[in-house]
Amino acid sequence: MRTILTALAVAGTLATSALAAAAPAAALGGESFGCYVSPSHRPPAPNYFCANNNMPYSSYSATYVLSGLSGSYGYAWAIPAGLTSKISMGCTSTDSYCTLGNLTPIVGEFYVSVTISQGGQSSTLTADTYIAPWCGNDWCG
């Protein structure tokens, strides 16, 4: 009887281990990446492009945010080399957001990417940002 119980216990443990190994890993998908330049006349853009939206100002900040997240993720932010000193909040391996501050209107166009990883899978999302130059109250041409 003891041998049968031991055999059943071992079989149960092996079956549980097999089920755990066969369970699907958390899948990426459904996440979105957007950015918002402030100050601005427009609300945050839930897409991949953001700009200083027709508002002349001496300095801007750009915030990048991931949404639609489910579970735990790792984050690897890619900031252009000339702008890494502008990081003011977030942008770490545990942050789903990143803010660059003190962006002057002469910065121009740049891209910020984040690679998200979860359950052995990864995906890279990129946002196109444009900090347009102003000449008084008009775009510089």
Side-chain angles (χ1 to χ4, degrees):
M1 182 69 163
R2 181 177 255 180
T3 304
I4 293 173
L5 290 176
T6 302
L8 287 174
V10 169
T13 301
L14 291 174
T16 302
S17 296
L19 286 175
L28 295 178
E31 300 88 2
S32 62
F33 186 48
C35 57
Y36 176 67
V37 172
S38 62
S40 172
H41 290 300
R42 297 184 186 169
N47 56 32
Y48 297 96
F49 178 77
C50 58
N52 50 341
N53 299 324
N54 303 324
M55 185 174 190
Y57 204 72
S58 61
S59 179
Y60 298 88
S61 65
T63 300
Y64 304 87
V65 179
L66 283 150
S67 59
L69 303 175
S70 177
S72 297
Y73 293 81
Y75 307 94
W77 292 92
I79 311 297
L83 298 177
T84 56
S85 64
K86 304 289 185 175
I87 295 172
S88 60
M89 290 189 325
C91 310
T92 73
S93 62
T94 58
D95 293 321
S96 62
Y97 64 94
C98 178
T99 299
L100 305 178
N102 196 27
L103 300 171
T104 61
I106 59 170
V107 170
E109 184 175 28
F110 60 93
Y111 297 87
V112 169
S113 296
V114 61
T115 300
I116 56 175
S117 56
Q118 180 185 58
Q121 298 178 348
S122 64
S123 178
T124 300
L125 303 162
T126 302
D128 184 3
T129 309
Y130 186 65
I131 306 298
W134 287 93
C135 295
N137 288 326
D138 297 313
W139 295 95
C140 297

